[in-house]
Amino acid sequence: MYLLKMYRHFVIIYMKGKLAYHFSLVFELIANTIQIGVYFAGFMVIFHNFGNIAGWTQDEVLFMFTTSWLNYSLSCFFFWSPMKDMGQLIRTGKFDLYLTRPIGPMLYMVLQQFQYTFIPRLALSIFFWIYSMRSLSIKWTASALVFYAVNMLASFVIFSAITVFTGTISFWTIKSEELVSLLTNNNYGLKNYTDYPITIYGKGIGFLLTFVIPYAFTGYYPVGKLLGKELSHPEYAYLPPLVALIAGIAAYLFWSAGLKHYNSAGA
């Protein structure tokens, strides 16, 4: 409860600063809304021409990737900007300031910002998530609801862990903005590959998205199981919580190692 109050206080301060340039904020939100809207329009065009992809209908794929996008957007509210800016903070020495705060540097970095630019992505994801379910015959039993909710939480942790991994690399490389974008940017990064069933890609990409950068566990496997799709490895649908646990612990340990490796800008 204390952290929520602190976060609300930080968000208010952060947004007051942004509202000082309210036209810039409004145009930024409009631009992001148009960008995401164009993406969904392109998605609709694909299915208008092809009908289905790898046996998945438009609504099934839409439900799969909006499920993924919901968790991705929520994760980005907290971790996208801090990890994207890690390289700059280290290069300029500003990261030293975070080490002098009475709370951990990661927690402070998360609390002192709010990525409002992801609001359009979250809002449109919710809209199309609801839209996609209108023709899906999912039996929302108690077990199905629990299964979906647990996997949603696991998906959030997986996205967050991958983002933290990419930002933490800056402790060694100093500059990692491009890597963060490559792995986590949904417009042109590797994350974009998970918007469609991974079976449409080669075995190499499938292996990468499952065992190296485990994005397949954020949508494809659990949603495929929920929709009753024939998965090559149906048992993988039950692994997202385990993958999230491993990824979360690994990201925490990697971040801790990075902090120990860090030398002050004045050192």
Side-chain angles (χ1 to χ4, degrees), residues 94-105 259 262-264:
K94 291 182 179 179
F95 186 72
D96 291 1
L97 297 175
Y98 294 92
L99 298 176
T100 64
R101 298 295 187 261
I103 58 177
L259 284 178
Y262 174 70
N263 291 316
S264 171

Side-chain angles (χ1 to χ4, degrees), residues 5 7 13 28-29 35 44 53 61 66 70 72 88 102 105 107 130 141 146 148 156 172 184 206 224 239 246:
K5 290 182 179 179
Y7 184 57
I13 295 175
E28 197 170 9
L29 289 175
Q35 182 183 47
M44 297 298 183
I53 294 179
V61 176
T66 51
L70 285 172
Y72 170 76
Q88 182 180 0
L107 182 58
I130 296 172
T141 62
V146 171
Y148 189 68
F156 171 84
W172 289 271
T184 64
L239 294 182
I246 295 173

Side-chain angles (χ1 to χ4, degrees), residues 1-15 73-79 82 103 107-116:
M1 185 62 69
Y2 172 72
L3 287 178
L4 289 177
K5 290 182 179 179
M6 184 187 299
Y7 184 57
R8 181 173 63 85
H9 179 68
F10 272 116
V11 168
I12 291 174
I13 295 175
Y14 182 82
M15 292 308 296
S73 300
L74 291 173
S75 173
C76 287
F77 277 132
F78 302 105
F79 296 103
I103 58 177
L107 182 58
Y108 186 74
M109 291 171 70
V110 169
L111 292 178
Q112 57 104 42
Q113 55 82 47
F114 175 69
Q115 278 307 297
Y116 60 90

Side-chain angles (χ1 to χ4, degrees), residues 29-220:
L29 289 175
I30 291 174
N32 276 272
T33 301
I34 293 174
Q35 182 183 47
I36 302 304
V38 169
Y39 184 90
F40 278 107
F43 173 87
M44 297 298 183
V45 169
I46 290 174
F47 276 92
H48 176 74
N49 289 292
F50 293 99
N52 70 81
I53 294 179
W56 290 60
T57 66
Q58 172 185 291
D59 290 320
E60 289 173 338
V61 176
L62 194 57
F63 178 65
M64 180 189 72
F65 89 70
T66 51
T67 293
S68 180
W69 273 33
L70 285 172
N71 300 295
Y72 170 76
S73 300
L74 291 173
S75 173
C76 287
F77 277 132
F78 302 105
F79 296 103
W80 166 255
S81 183
M83 294 300 100
K84 180 176 67 67
D85 296 338
M86 272 298 298
Q88 182 180 0
L89 292 174
I90 293 173
R91 288 195 303 274
T92 60
K94 291 182 179 179
F95 186 72
D96 291 1
L97 297 175
Y98 294 92
L99 298 176
T100 64
R101 298 295 187 261
I103 58 177
M106 171 66 78
L107 182 58
Y108 186 74
M109 291 171 70
V110 169
L111 292 178
Q112 57 104 42
Q113 55 82 47
F114 175 69
Q115 278 307 297
Y116 60 90
T117 55
F118 283 90
I119 291 176
R121 186 184 300 272
L122 180 63
L124 287 174
S125 295
I126 293 174
F127 173 81
F128 283 104
W129 178 74
I130 296 172
Y131 170 85
S132 67
M133 287 194 290
R134 79 194 193 286
S135 63
L136 297 178
S137 57
I138 302 175
K139 295 181 179 179
W140 290 108
T141 62
S143 59
L145 286 171
V146 171
F147 174 81
Y148 189 68
V150 169
N151 281 285
M152 289 278 279
L153 177 60
S155 176
F156 171 84
V157 174
I158 291 171
F159 282 129
S160 301
I162 293 173
T163 305
V164 170
F165 256 107
T166 57
T168 302
I169 292 175
S170 293
F171 284 120
W172 289 271
T173 64
I174 308 301
K175 186 177 176 61
S176 66
E177 292 91 335
E178 291 79 7
L179 182 62
V180 175
S181 295
L182 174 64
L183 295 183
T184 64
N185 191 300
N186 203 93
N187 297 320
Y188 50 81
L190 187 63
K191 164 68 181 66
N192 197 45
Y193 282 73
T194 61
D195 293 346
Y196 297 91
I198 63 172
T199 51
I200 69 174
Y201 308 116
K203 291 183 179 180
I205 296 296
F207 180 87
L208 177 67
L209 295 175
T210 301
F211 299 107
V212 182
I213 313 295
Y215 281 136
F217 293 103
T218 65
Y220 174 70

Side-chain angles (χ1 to χ4, degrees), residues 217-228:
F217 293 103
T218 65
Y220 174 70
Y221 286 116
V223 171
K225 177 66 177 178
L226 195 63
L227 294 174

Side-chain angles (χ1 to χ4, degrees), residues 12-25:
I12 291 174
I13 295 175
Y14 182 82
M15 292 308 296
K16 281 183 177 179
K18 291 294 182 180
L19 286 171
Y21 306 94
H22 52 279
F23 282 115
S24 174
L25 184 147

